[in-house]
Amino acid sequence: MQALIMINRKASSSQHEVESDGRDHVMLRTNMETKIRYYLQEMIKSDHDPLIQSSLVKLSKIFEAKLYKCAPSLDAYSDPNTLQDRIRILAMQLGKKVEDNQKFSLEERQNSLQIRLGKHVFEEINHLVDKIKCIRLYSFNQLRSREESESGLPSCSGGSCLFLPKLCTTKSGSEIPLPMREIYLNIRLMDAVSMVYSAKTKDSMLAHISSVPWSDLIKEANEKISNFELWERTQVVKKEEDEHGI
């Protein structure tokens, strides 16, 4: 109970630090960090795997800083009789926070995006994403059909073999038109939206939403869709001319 009270207690000073009484705080905190790392290692029963040890070093620093900030005094902070209980309580609190962050559905992600961006922008983004997906599906089928007719061989079932990273050519050697490459490979809005729906925690998702220049990405997506549609219309005209021998 004493350990729980100490964890939840707000520091009284404006800097949220323990009182100073002339003791060497640096040495005291370094020793405390070592003890915390030892207890954490005992809790997870870790071996000497370098990756685990590296994680324990980072965790012990986080735990030490939180215990130091919450402690009402240096004596309470360094009390060996309550240290292990304080570490366990803190571990449970941090674990609960991570678990809460991970429990959010697709609907919650959409709601978060709409709240942050506004209904109009949210709906515009959804419209663009759906439109780009339709263009990609239709264009891939067209490209695949052309590949098979030119080579006489069945094409792959996915799009990756049609987009060679360096040559940007199809299997038959024809260069993939720039508007099509842009639609498939260079729509930053699609990447940004994908990260919203794949973020592992709510905090990382909200941070991502706040950091993205959505207006710029919407403008860019509209421009690339327009360029693709213009190119597509010219292809239709060209095909009709070729068929009529013009």
Side-chain angles (χ1 to χ4, degrees):
M1 177 62 69
Q2 182 183 358
L4 181 58
I5 293 173
M6 290 171 60
I7 287 290
N8 291 326
R9 176 172 177 169
K10 296 287 186 181
S12 58
S13 66
S14 60
Q15 296 181 347
H16 301 287
E17 293 184 351
V18 295
E19 60 194 23
S20 174
D21 58 2
R23 281 181 277 183
D24 187 342
H25 286 214
V26 175
M27 180 63 70
L28 183 65
R29 294 188 67 177
T30 300
N31 291 337
M32 182 63 72
E33 189 180 311
T34 302
K35 292 178 181 178
I36 291 171
R37 186 161 63 250
Y38 169 78
Y39 280 128
L40 290 175
Q41 187 164 338
E42 287 296 306
M43 287 172 63
I44 65 175
K45 301 187 182 303
S46 69
D47 52 22
H48 296 287
D49 185 287
L51 291 176
I52 295 178
Q53 293 303 313
S54 176
S55 298
L56 285 175
V57 170
K58 295 177 183 178
L59 276 176
S60 63
K61 290 181 182 294
I62 294 172
F63 274 55
E64 187 281 326
K66 288 186 176 295
L67 293 179
Y68 184 79
K69 183 177 180 180
C70 293
S73 68
L74 276 178
D75 288 334
Y77 163 76
S78 57
D79 185 357
N81 296 319
T82 63
L83 179 58
Q84 192 166 1
D85 288 337
R86 283 182 284 153
I87 292 173
R88 289 184 180 279
I89 292 169
L90 187 55
M92 286 188 291
Q93 290 179 342
L94 293 177
K96 179 67 165 56
K97 182 178 180 181
V98 171
E99 184 180 355
D100 289 343
N101 271 333
Q102 291 176 336
K103 290 181 178 178
F104 60 113
S105 64
L106 174 62
E107 183 179 356
E108 289 176 302
R109 293 171 190 264
Q110 292 174 332
N111 289 339
S112 296
L113 189 60
Q114 182 170 335
I115 290 171
R116 290 297 180 98
L117 303 181
K119 183 178 180 180
H120 175 73
V121 175
F122 174 74
E123 290 178 348
E124 184 176 10
I125 289 173
N126 282 341
H127 170 72
L128 287 170
V129 167
D130 289 342
K131 188 170 186 177
I132 291 167
K133 286 181 178 179
C134 288
I135 290 175
R136 285 177 171 179
L137 178 61
Y138 172 77
S139 299
F140 166 70
N141 289 336
Q142 291 290 95
L143 182 59
R144 183 181 177 191
S145 175
R146 189 186 71 190
E147 275 290 290
E148 293 177 350
S149 65
E150 290 180 357
S151 65
L153 299 172
S155 181
C156 61
S157 59
S160 59
C161 67
L162 299 177
F163 294 93
L164 305 181
K166 293 184 179 180
L167 301 177
C168 288
T169 59
T170 60
K171 296 195 318 185
S172 62
S174 303
E175 182 178 352
I176 297 173
L178 178 60
M180 186 179 287
R181 291 209 308 272
E182 291 286 274
I183 284 289
Y184 269 96
L185 306 176
N186 196 24
I187 300 286
R188 293 188 297 161
L189 179 65
M190 300 295 284
D191 297 333
V193 171
S194 176
M195 288 185 67
V196 171
Y197 295 126
S198 63
K200 293 184 178 179
T201 68
K202 187 178 295 183
D203 287 343
S204 63
M205 179 194 68
L206 294 176
H208 170 69
I209 292 174
S210 299
S211 67
V212 171
W214 294 101
S215 297
D216 293 342
L217 268 57
I218 289 172
K219 180 181 178 181
E220 178 188 79
N222 275 312
E223 289 175 350
K224 290 183 176 181
I225 289 174
S226 296
N227 290 339
F228 176 83
E229 290 175 338
L230 176 61
W231 169 81
E232 192 175 39
R233 287 194 296 271
T234 61
Q235 295 302 301
V236 172
V237 172
K238 182 179 179 182
K239 182 179 180 180
E240 290 177 350
E241 290 176 347
D242 290 342
E243 289 176 351
H244 292 86
I246 299 177

